[in-house]
Amino acid sequence: MKILRTILMALTFLMTLPVLSWADEAAEAVAPAIDTGDTAFILISAAVVLLMTPGLALFYGGMSRKKNVLNAIMCSLIAMGIISIQWSLFGYSLAFGPDVGHLIGNLDWIGLSGVGVDPNPDYSATIPHQVFMVFQMVFAIITPAIISGAVAGRMRFPAYLIFILLWATFIYDPVAHWVWGVDGWLRNLGALDFAGGTVVHIISGVSALVAALVIGKRKGYGTQPMIPHNLPMTVLGAALLWFGWFGFNAGSSLGAGSLTAVAFVNTQLATAAAMMSWVFVEWLRHGKPTVLGAVSGAVAGMVAITPACGFVGPMSAIIIGLIGGVVCFLAVAVVKAKLGYDDSLDAFGVHGVGGTWGALATGLFASKAVNEAGGDGVFFGNPEQIVSQLIAIAASYAVAIIGTYVILKVIGLFTKLRASDEEQEIGLDFTQHGEDAYASTVSGSPFSPGVGAATASAPAGVVKPAL
Amino acid sequence: MKILRTILMALTFLMTLPVLSWADEAAEAVAPAIDTGDTAFILISAAVVLLMTPGLALFYGGMSRKKNVLNAIMCSLIAMGIISIQWSLFGYSLAFGPDVGHLIGNLDWIGLSGVGVDPNPDYSATIPHQVFMVFQMVFAIITPAIISGAVAGRMRFPAYLIFILLWATFIYDPVAHWVWGVDGWLRNLGALDFAGGTVVHIISGVSALVAALVIGKRKGYGTQPMIPHNLPMTVLGAALLWFGWFGFNAGSSLGAGSLTAVAFVNTQLATAAAMMSWVFVEWLRHGKPTVLGAVSGAVAGMVAITPACGFVGPMSAIIIGLIGGVVCFLAVAVVKAKLGYDDSLDAFGVHGVGGTWGALATGLFASKAVNEAGGDGVFFGNPEQIVSQLIAIAASYAVAIIGTYVILKVIGLFTKLRASDEEQEIGLDFTQHGEDAYASTVSGSPFSPGVGAATASAPAGVVKPAL
Amino acid sequence: MKILRTILMALTFLMTLPVLSWADEAAEAVAPAIDTGDTAFILISAAVVLLMTPGLALFYGGMSRKKNVLNAIMCSLIAMGIISIQWSLFGYSLAFGPDVGHLIGNLDWIGLSGVGVDPNPDYSATIPHQVFMVFQMVFAIITPAIISGAVAGRMRFPAYLIFILLWATFIYDPVAHWVWGVDGWLRNLGALDFAGGTVVHIISGVSALVAALVIGKRKGYGTQPMIPHNLPMTVLGAALLWFGWFGFNAGSSLGAGSLTAVAFVNTQLATAAAMMSWVFVEWLRHGKPTVLGAVSGAVAGMVAITPACGFVGPMSAIIIGLIGGVVCFLAVAVVKAKLGYDDSLDAFGVHGVGGTWGALATGLFASKAVNEAGGDGVFFGNPEQIVSQLIAIAASYAVAIIGTYVILKVIGLFTKLRASDEEQEIGLDFTQHGEDAYASTVSGSPFSPGVGAATASAPAGVVKPAL
Amino acid sequence: MTKIECILRPGKLENVKEAVNDFGIHGITVTQVIGCGLQKGRTEVYRGTEYNINLLPKIKMEMVIPDKDVEAILKLVTKAARTGEIGDGKIFTYKIDNVVRIRTGEMGEIAI
Amino acid sequence: MTKIECILRPGKLENVKEAVNDFGIHGITVTQVIGCGLQKGRTEVYRGTEYNINLLPKIKMEMVIPDKDVEAILKLVTKAARTGEIGDGKIFTYKIDNVVRIRTGEMGEIAI
Amino acid sequence: MTKIECILRPGKLENVKEAVNDFGIHGITVTQVIGCGLQKGRTEVYRGTEYNINLLPKIKMEMVIPDKDVEAILKLVTKAARTGEIGDGKIFTYKIDNVVRIRTGEMGEIAI
Ligand SMILES: Nc1ncnc2c1ncn2[C@@H]1O[C@H](COP(=O)(O)OP(=O)(O)O)[C@@H](O)[C@H]1O
Ligand SMILES: Nc1ncnc2c1ncn2[C@@H]1O[C@H](COP(=O)(O)OP(=O)(O)O)[C@@H](O)[C@H]1O
Ligand SMILES: Nc1ncnc2c1ncn2[C@@H]1O[C@H](COP(=O)(O)OP(=O)(O)O)[C@@H](O)[C@H]1O
């Protein structure tokens, strides 16, 4: 109660800030040049990108075992809660606020103060600044959620919750500033990343691998079968991801024009190509064309085309997709087994590897004929582009590896990261969330909440695991 | 057959009306000032709001028991059928047609006669009138569907079907006219309701409570565990609701501009805040952060911000959400148990209570700095706003309570409202719809439809319940 | 590996073509008159229409038996892969490229060469040509996927994969050219088809029937119960179809204006009407209002209104829907049983029959008062319109019947079309894809992929069916 | 020791469980089954075709109890599970040779 | 009275049920199970890793019948369920001490 | 011939199966069940109401084996399934009268 009161008071104070400054701003520029078509497109893109996060929840949830499905879902869901708040309070300011040393935004836009409805031409001249802000918010939400795939089935939820909050603040926000912020150093360098290959996929995928290694393998990994409990759920999740990815990639043009069309078409083609190449490689290797392969390939293709989608032509997109599907397949089917790490749902194998391929591919296939504001890649006569891309990749890997390691170790000082073997055996759904995903023949009785209230003062964890 | 013929003849007659008047209208104003961006946004908003109704179906369906899931779904689905027709035949005219005594629209627009493609500047100057009409239609669809959550697991379907038709006509349409219709008395009064806090959430939530009380508790309520049979389904439903709510709230700006951005951002922030506050309060009280809590909180937040979303700043939205999550949690976890009514899926607890809080909060946090067409709330120096809000709330409660009570009692004269104990035990899926949601190991044989035809003349209900 | 290398080389060559020609084109017309609102609407329409294909996957998947659900899903999914590639490589050129003898497009636009970002005023003056291309692509994807419903549970996947590729090329692309291509003979004839009644629904539905007959009935058809294993999944699929259909129909106006509004409203009304009429007819005949009836009726209504949606008034749409629901119900419940063919999931009964009714209805209810670019139907004083419609229907039937028959027979020369009785008994999920949709209590152990690699050279099918 | 195997209506599980718990029996194993007997199934309708579904959902409840309690338990269960309508279910009893409590390795009647 | 417990291929349920129905047996309880025997499981592939799934879906069908019918039923079931391939399943029989028909409280053979 | 019916923790299925396989037993039938015993269930929370769920997920594993192996198998299973915590489960054994291998029609011990 006390905590709530304090929070409320703090927020009540904050509340007055933005509205006032915002009112001023509104007074200054009465008629901003907002384009309704662009605004409509970006708002809807933001909505569909938001929908990607529950899509990811279902994609991961279906691949989990039955006893862990809610935990897999919750890890994505909760990002929609916590990161939205983080972003509006200070995350957006850190990432896109006025530059400090090419490394980070300052705190001018804290609590969205100064982020009003007039366009901010630094980022987008035809849509309200708040629209740009919320479009970026949904990227900040899904990125940490991707990481949960690597540690599914064994990370304690309280540790995870703290982890994504810190990770978003200390890793995502700075890297977003580097790549997309005005005067960010990677942006100045000329590294091409249309919709977030480095910012979203490389850093989340690499962090995922680090987290998987730090937290260790699931109990029984390698000896018990850990196979998807509900593939139609995974297909549905992938479908929502595909749908949302149009907002993710085409929306990154921040309008509804020619470049939007290019990004949209490339997204579709690379996704389709990667789906086919994964399916065919698996078919050749294991004798059957699988549904999980089809959707995994599709996701791999979307990851791979993300940084390139606004810089390459349609046939290049197909090639990027074809290779992306094969590379990611090899990563999850061969490399993972060889090296023996337990990346439960292949967050690294798909996002890390696919994102890296995409960043390289952008340096190969980019063409100014497609997007003058972009650059030419190696295949279009500019071998130097690949250097910028490599620098961007290296920087992202470095910050993701070091940052994730440090954050996890620090959290580990305060609370356990890893669910006990017994908790894993019972399943994270019950042990972390006190729920059962598919209760059917249940027997028992509801306690009156009066009884519940009696336990209210007991420490978290009062609902004891048992099997 | 005879019935069908009569219906067809009546419709054939109707058919000629609108097309003709509509042609005239088209002739008059050849070049209406339609904005493609606004039109695109509102059409897509209408589509995503329509998707909220199946979203609600899944949200409710997942929380139902296995034997009642199809009935829970059907109660939402059928509203998409019956209310669309009702709305186009006369509902829209009652709600938005030319005013009669500030209480109701007249019948000028019956059968959509006169509702053409030119904008109706009374409501929206930049989009075709039909677009406004269909955008309002999807609101009229979901509102009665919300009520089904309170009576899930025990209301007979035929009674429900008649109920929503009458309820839409005698409660929703008039209240929509009061609040949004040109010259509606609540609109004239200055009560603020941006996207339907009173019209949608208060009246459906309160009616839900009345219906739950009139129909009585489910058999076994309080002694048998009645817990969700499929939480991932509920999460998916909530995700579709969240996605659709952007159309609901931001679309209510009837364009794609600054105000749209404000409503969109507020929706996201309040939803996220309420998700977090519900999860944390439940965590404190019961020891675990639950997935059902996360999605319930999100819905509570969306309900709470609905009336306020176009009138408040982003930090206010966060506060409204934080409080909304806590208030709704207490309503469903404490108040419901104390008072002992059986609001099966918490239609009142979330929509009634959340809607009431939202209407009040609008009176507290509204600010002309955000929306000049709105008003200032208590915290921005205008204590009178809360009076208008209270009047609107009181009027909505009154009409919902009296209207629902009367409608149910009248229907009860003709057909039973409540499924028998035996029907409840077998489950409403089979007893009301003759279907099984998840048939797996089935044994039996299809009858030839010839056999079916033999029973065609038998009275409805020929498929006898049995277990 | 060799195959991959060859493919890659071919593509690398292709890659250079379009980008170059495209650059030229960009240079010529620097400022194309792109409308952001129209572009936003059509891009989003393309995205939601794409989402219809997974929607169809779930719609069909839920109606399948548990052992065939993944196969049902995969048949739709894979179309998203293979047809996207086909379309971009040559399909689009065949369908919409410069006309050859009113029958087919030429190969000028192969590999999207010449299909750039400037609008192609022949098709749409206000959106980039690529947007038009991708909007048409998603139609080309879903159409063959519809066919899979008729052969579900018994067609071998490799044969299916080849089938849809050939079918898209030799049937869909030409018919699309006839109806929509500049100078296509059906277009020149004045046959009205707003959004694809003939092109999409008639030819897929009729081809589905042919395929069902050629491949034969499922083992056990008529003696074993073959009933939906997961109706909520089917409902979800139908919801996504409904949502996407707004893009399908309203998007076919290729902008966001008055006609868009008309198509949108008609879609909603016909769908609702058909839902109600199917439910009521089934209720009268069998005693219960069913959920499967509600969603089947909705799909029937959407199919029926597809060709008419931009040409008729709202009351006509209701009538078209009402009749559509009844006609399709009779087709699947009475005619199918009488004639005894096994159209597993009623692809013909809904799409073939509904599409035929829609094409006729367009000839009856069309009105120039609604769309001047359209025509008047029989009820609006122009009996000749029905003749054009009949010619279009007849031509579609002819090409679908002959084409599908020939294609299947040719494929049958190279590989078996039909899964063996044993494969059907075990289920297509395992026998075709080596997967289990809902693995729950599994026992076993993962092989190291090293072991898998040993089998890599083994022929497809190495994973032997067993039960 | 005797195993009591009851086939029950799904809605009666809670009743029966309470009744035997009150008697002092706590070890219970429950399985979801489908079955038919005199009860002839029910008619479901899918897309206008009627299907006669023969096997309806039931609950199988197994308890291993000391022989001396068998009679009492049969009475208890019969009472708690009865509705008087066709489909109430059956109880089957048969002797068990041995019981092992895995946790302790105890055998025989004390392990029940 | 004897319980006949058959482990069958899922696809044979309908056949066997018809066969015993025709004989006059109507009381049947069916459970979904998984099992292995001589049959060695099957290989499924998920993301390029092959899993050997040992336990395959089977149907367990239980009927309690009068002792005199046992032999006939065993023959009937064996015939109706056979394909001749590994994995056809097993039938186990054992004596039941008592049967209660819950609806009426009847006991013994008349309650079957 | 004896039927060994084990009620196990779900996580122990793999262990026990391996143990009996190594011993040479291959015919196994597994059912998903829920059960309670000394173990008193667990508390789940749905929308702020706590529910005491009595019956927890268990695995029922049935093997019909020759009488001579019973003792050894009981030991094996007990060892492989034990954690020492409440809820480890039970093993029940009872005699089987006959076994039929459907594929061949063989009866008796050779059919196991
Ligand atoms: N002889 C039997 N063998 C096995 N199970 C039986 C037998 N008779 C009945 N059952 C089980 O008991 C359930 C109820 O049987 P039923 O004959 O319908 O009940 P009642 O005799 O009370 O009318 C059946 O669904 C079936 O699962
Ligand atoms: N000894 C046994 N105990 C319990 N169940 C058995 C036994 N032997 C076989 N089964 C069950 O019978 C099924 C078929 O057995 P299997 O040995 O594959 O058949 P077959 O002997 O006809 O080849 C198995 O999946 C298992 O469920
Ligand atoms: N007497 C019994 N009859 C039938 N099943 C039993 C019996 N006792 C225990 N069980 C089964 O065994 C499981 C474990 O029993 P429990 O008493 O919790 O284990 P333990 O004795 O090792 O603590 C229960 O969930 C139940 O399924």
Side-chain angles (χ1 to χ4, degrees), chain E residues 7 33-39 56 58 85-90 92, chain F residues 26-30 62-65 101-103 111-112:
Chain E
I7 313 290
V33 298
I34 49 179
C36 62
L38 296 181
Q39 203 180 2
L56 299 184
K58 299 282 171 188
E85 303 287 313
I86 280 188
D88 273 354
K90 300 271 165 88
F92 306 120
Chain F
H26 292 285
I28 294 177
T29 301
V30 171
E62 290 165 288
M63 310 169 264
V64 173
I65 58 173
R101 185 191 302 275
I102 291 173
R103 175 164 48 90
I112 291 180

Side-chain angles (χ1 to χ4, degrees), chain D residues 25-30 62-65 101-104 111-112, chain F residues 7-8 33-40 56 58 85-90 92:
Chain D
I25 302 285
H26 293 284
I28 295 176
T29 300
V30 170
E62 289 165 288
M63 308 170 266
V64 174
I65 57 173
R101 185 190 303 275
I102 292 174
R103 174 164 49 89
T104 58
I112 290 180
Chain F
I7 313 291
L8 307 171
V33 299
I34 49 179
C36 61
L38 297 179
Q39 201 181 6
K40 277 292 157 286
L56 299 184
K58 299 280 169 190
E85 302 288 312
I86 281 188
D88 273 354
K90 301 271 165 89
F92 306 119

Side-chain angles (χ1 to χ4, degrees), chain B residues 434 436 443-445 447 463 467, chain D residues 9 39 43 45-46 50 52 54:
Chain B
D436 192 353
S443 169
S445 51
F447 293 149
V463 182
L467 185 72
Chain D
R9 290 178 191 277
Q39 204 181 2
T43 303
V45 183
Y46 297 95
E50 298 186 358
N52 184 37
N54 307 143

Side-chain angles (χ1 to χ4, degrees), chain C residues 434 436 443-445 447 463 467, chain E residues 9 39 43 45-46 50 52 54:
Chain C
D436 192 354
S443 170
S445 51
F447 293 149
V463 182
L467 186 74
Chain E
R9 289 179 192 277
Q39 203 180 2
T43 303
V45 184
Y46 297 95
E50 298 186 357
N52 183 36
N54 307 142

Side-chain angles (χ1 to χ4, degrees), chain A residues 28-123:
Chain A
E28 280 167 38
V30 181
I34 292 173
D35 181 284
T36 57
D38 289 347
T39 303
F41 190 73
I42 301 309
L43 280 176
I44 291 160
S45 291
V48 300
V49 176
L50 183 84
L51 190 61
M52 291 174 74
T53 301
L56 186 71
L58 297 169
F59 185 67
Y60 280 167
M63 279 194 281
S64 303
R65 282 168 296 164
K66 213 171 179 173
K67 62 188 179 183
N68 295 330
V69 51
L70 290 180
N71 178 253
I73 287 174
M74 186 69 162
C75 286
S76 291
L77 265 193
I78 206 72
M80 298 168 77
I82 191 112
I83 304 297
S84 299
I85 305 298
Q86 184 264 7
W87 191 251
S88 67
L89 292 185
F90 56 85
Y92 179 64
S93 194
L94 291 179
F96 290 92
D99 182 78
V100 178
H102 309 301
L103 289 176
I104 191 92
N106 70 17
L107 292 177
D108 280 4
W109 295 350
I110 204 169
L112 299 185
S113 128
V115 180
V117 293
D118 294 327
N120 178 333
D122 282 350
Y123 292 116

